Amino acid sequence: MSKLLTAPNGKKTVIEIGPVRIGGEEIVLIAGPCAVESEEQLVKSGLHLKKAGVAILRASAHKPRTSPYSFQGHGLEGLKMHQAAQKKHGLLTTSEVMDPRLVAEVAEHVDILWIGARNMQNFDLLKEVGRCGKPIILKRGASATVEEWIMSAEYIMAHGNPNVILCERGIRTFETSTRYTLDLSAVAVARMKTHLPIIVDPSHAAGRPELIAALCKAAIAVGADGLIVEAHPNPKESICDAAQALSLEEFEQMAKELKPLAESIGRKLCL
Ligand code: PEP
Ligand code: MN
């Protein structure tokens, strides 16, 4: 049973990280490459995306790959690249953590940790990030129910960390025209069941760039507090998830289209 997630007086939780507020009026844009490739890639992405309204640069130093022979991420070196690049672009940063033994190390180098879909029910990892002192983005497992997703958030909170951001990223269905099926009803359901901020990842759900803008619009309309989108300085060259990344220019154009929509429903998008 959930003890911590029932909305207190129906009020949403607003998570403040430096100058950024997640869960308030503003819709927070998180974007960046799938993986940390180099410091230069992060600086280039960060500077361009900042101009496009992005508050948090995503890029992971650790990558959960389907094949053990695929690029696994630069690890600690990648985390150091994040720190070095941040001095030049100034955005908040986020990277995935997959291993409970590496939680402290990741938390030392980035502002927000994310738990990937494949680890949503890695309970030892959830407990460890509960103790890490940094906000957590908790991605929904591809086969997890909303209830299971929420109980995973409860694990993190029960271990001392109230700063959890739920992220819908698509679930496994019979449909093959997209990589996963973006479950926007889960955003509405989670909104009723919890006070936590909820963001949407259209990139991993769609698996291809031409659907991203439409899914972002739908996510805003259904009440998402933010978006996390893969964008790369040169998508074709992306080491990881090349098929779904937007270019930085495409992201910038899309963000402009999202602004009037956000404002039409009383939300803000700071571009
Ligand atoms: C990612 O964000 O790059 C990622 C691996 O996402 P997910 O865990 O949702 O598949
Ligand atoms: Mn990815």
Side-chain angles (χ1 to χ4, degrees):
M1 208 198 41
S2 162
K3 292 187 184 164
L4 301 168
L5 289 173
T6 320
N9 322 318
K11 272 206 184 137
K12 284 169 68 182
T13 289
V14 179
I15 299 179
E16 296 196 29
I17 316 163
V20 177
R21 286 162 51 85
I22 309 183
E25 278 197 291
E26 270 171 28
I27 290 172
V28 174
L29 297 182
I30 306 170
C34 183
V36 173
E37 294 169 13
S38 66
E39 183 185 330
E40 188 200 357
Q41 172 224 31
L42 295 177
V43 173
K44 196 164 183 199
S45 304
L47 290 173
H48 195 134
L49 292 169
K50 191 178 189 174
K51 281 197 298 173
V54 167
I56 303 166
L57 182 70
R58 62 145 293 150
S60 195
H62 300 96
K63 292 307 305 174
R65 304 305 297 281
T66 302
S67 164
Y69 309 116
S70 302
F71 174 63
Q72 304 283 309
H74 285 307
L76 179 57
E77 283 313 304
L79 293 171
K80 289 182 183 163
M81 290 173 197
H82 249 312
Q83 272 198 331
Q86 188 175 39
K87 294 198 178 84
K88 299 179 186 153
H89 60 65
L91 295 176
L92 295 178
T93 55
T94 181
S95 187
E96 176 164 352
V97 62
M98 296 165 26
D99 183 333
R101 295 166 298 186
L102 295 180
V103 167
E105 184 171 291
V106 178
E108 230 175 82
H109 291 83
V110 294
D111 300 299
I112 303 166
L113 280 61
W114 96 66
I115 303 281
R118 289 154 192 83
N119 276 308
M120 188 204 82
Q121 284 189 314
N122 181 339
F123 298 115
D124 288 334
L125 181 60
L126 298 177
K127 290 179 197 169
E128 199 57 40
V129 298
R131 297 185 274 260
C132 80
K134 291 265 165 103
I136 309 298
I137 294 172
L138 177 66
K139 292 189 131 193
R140 179 185 179 190
S143 307
T145 63
V146 173
E147 185 61 23
E148 287 164 341
W149 183 28
I150 284 174
M151 290 313 289
S152 289
E154 185 89 11
Y155 257 94
I156 300 172
M157 297 174 81
H159 285 79
N161 190 344
N163 297 320
V164 181
I165 300 148
L166 296 169
C167 177
E168 160 61 32
R169 48 77 73 203
I171 54 173
R172 184 82 82 187
T173 70
F174 54 82
E175 181 54 64
T176 53
S177 60
T178 49
R179 187 175 175 191
Y180 294 91
T181 297
L182 187 64
D183 182 12
L184 289 175
S185 53
V187 177
V189 173
R191 172 70 76 231
M192 284 192 312
K193 293 195 165 197
T194 91
H195 53 86
L196 295 174
I198 307 165
I199 64 172
V200 168
D201 173 349
S203 300
H204 292 83
R208 51 207 175 93
E210 61 275 25
L211 299 175
I212 308 289
L215 297 181
C216 285
K217 289 174 189 164
I220 291 175
V222 84
D225 297 303
L227 300 164
I228 176 165
V229 177
E230 284 189 350
H232 190 282
N234 187 354
K236 284 200 196 93
E237 308 262 287
S238 180
I239 300 185
C240 208
D241 283 348
Q244 71 201 26
L246 296 179
S247 68
L248 303 176
E249 293 77 14
E250 285 166 337
F251 182 91
E252 189 174 7
Q253 179 55 35
M254 179 183 78
K256 285 188 191 136
E257 289 170 30
L258 300 179
K259 191 175 165 78
L261 172 67
E263 288 170 356
S264 75
I265 56 163
R267 305 291 296 262
K268 277 194 198 153
L269 221 149
C270 292
L271 307 190

